[in-house]
Amino acid sequence: KNQVEQSPQSLIILEGKNCTLQCNYTVSPFSNLRWYKQDTGRGPVSLTIMTFSENTKSNGRYTATLDADTKQSSLHITASQLSDSASYICVVSRGSGGYQKVTFGTGTKLQVIP
Amino acid sequence: DSGVTQTPKHLITATGQRVTLRCSPRSGDLSVYWYQQSLDQGLQFLIHYYNGEERAKGNILERFSAQQFPDLHSELNLSSLELGDSALYFCASSVGWGDNQPQHFGDGTRLSIL
């Protein structure tokens, strides 16, 4: 069964600290993995997209890693800011030749406190 | 601001009714995607259109239908509404139709069924 599991479900960290969010998937055949940030009441915002051949991708203070062998990805946030408080969603696509089947994780809710 | 416009922002209606949600993609984007986000099921992909043609279908119910018009705006029609259809409906757009395209989300239409 194609599944995407994220951990932890929620996380509270102090402003300025780093944190790492995890995403494990069983989706096959793998096409790509995306990380989104979603503020409460807003649409998701794309952070990174990684294909099979990419194992690291950065977007400012956000760095995503992908290990296609173990089917794991992580999102590392450096020097957190209050504005990082949001839900972070991992999305894995399978298939090719178009926007094929996608499986969404249930997200990690991050709260950054002063 | 993602450049994707969704109307209306909020919609309240009753069971059995029919509603139409509208999406205007970013200027230059040819692909439109529709998603449903509910509290118990998270984000789900519904359907993808590229330049007026349906490209991929996800977990879209038969009571739901969509189309993309020549000016590239899209509409999602929901009929015979049930309480379980209460959710946030997001539209996203991208330049092309390939699976690795970054998607830009609108802020959604919140549908409440009474």
Side-chain angles (χ1 to χ4, degrees):
Chain A
K1 186 178 177 182
N2 295 294
Q3 286 186 314
V4 176
E5 294 185 354
Q6 292 188 242
S7 61
Q9 277 192 320
S10 61
L11 183 61
I12 300 175
I13 63 172
L14 289 173
E15 185 180 12
K17 297 296 187 183
N18 303 335
C19 68
T20 300
L21 315 181
Q22 299 290 341
C23 173
N24 296 338
Y25 62 93
T26 58
V27 173
S28 181
F30 176 85
S31 177
N32 65 57
L33 185 146
R34 303 168 187 248
W35 281 96
Y36 286 98
K37 176 188 178 190
Q38 185 176 21
D39 293 321
T40 302
R42 305 295 302 274
V45 173
S46 179
L47 296 177
T48 61
I49 304 173
M50 287 185 292
T51 59
F52 185 89
S53 59
E54 297 171 299
N55 55 25
T56 302
K57 199 161 238 188
S58 291
N59 179 355
R61 294 180 297 102
Y62 301 100
T63 299
T65 64
L66 173 65
D67 185 333
D69 291 332
T70 61
K71 298 189 176 181
Q72 295 180 326
S73 176
S74 64
L75 181 69
H76 186 73
I77 304 174
T78 303
S80 61
Q81 301 176 357
L82 297 178
S83 59
D84 292 331
S85 295
S87 288
Y88 291 83
I89 303 169
C90 174
V91 184
V92 182
S93 298
R94 69 182 191 275
S96 62
Y99 194 63
Q100 301 297 324
K101 303 292 185 184
V102 289
T103 305
F104 291 84
T106 52
T108 292
K109 190 163 187 175
L110 174 66
Q111 186 179 357
V112 181
I113 59 175
Chain B
D1 182 13
S2 67
V4 177
T5 304
Q6 290 188 248
T7 56
K9 290 193 187 306
H10 303 276
L11 199 47
I12 302 173
T13 188
T15 55
Q17 296 298 305
R18 173 189 169 94
V19 297
T20 298
L21 313 183
R22 183 187 168 103
C23 170
S24 294
R26 287 190 329 159
S27 177
D29 285 358
L30 298 178
S31 273
V32 169
Y33 310 79
W34 285 98
Y35 296 87
Q36 179 193 60
Q37 187 174 38
S38 58
L39 280 175
D40 59 342
Q41 293 200 3
L43 263 171
Q44 290 192 88
F45 164 63
L46 296 178
I47 197 163
H48 168 212
Y49 277 84
Y50 173 76
N51 203 21
E53 291 189 10
E54 182 186 303
R55 278 289 179 175
K57 256 184 178 177
N59 300 322
I60 188 166
L61 300 172
E62 285 192 9
R63 300 183 286 108
F64 296 0
S65 65
Q67 55 184 324
Q68 186 180 27
F69 295 87
D71 66 352
L72 301 176
H73 91 272
S74 178
E75 292 181 356
L76 179 67
N77 299 297
L78 315 177
S79 62
S80 303
L81 287 168
E82 302 174 359
L83 292 176
D85 297 329
S86 295
L88 262 172
Y89 290 85
F90 288 106
C91 163
S93 72
S94 66
V95 172
W97 64 273
D99 194 27
N100 296 331
Q101 297 279 318
Q103 294 182 21
H104 305 272
F105 281 74
D107 281 336
T109 292
R110 183 174 294 279
L111 176 63
S112 298
I113 313 298
L114 303 180

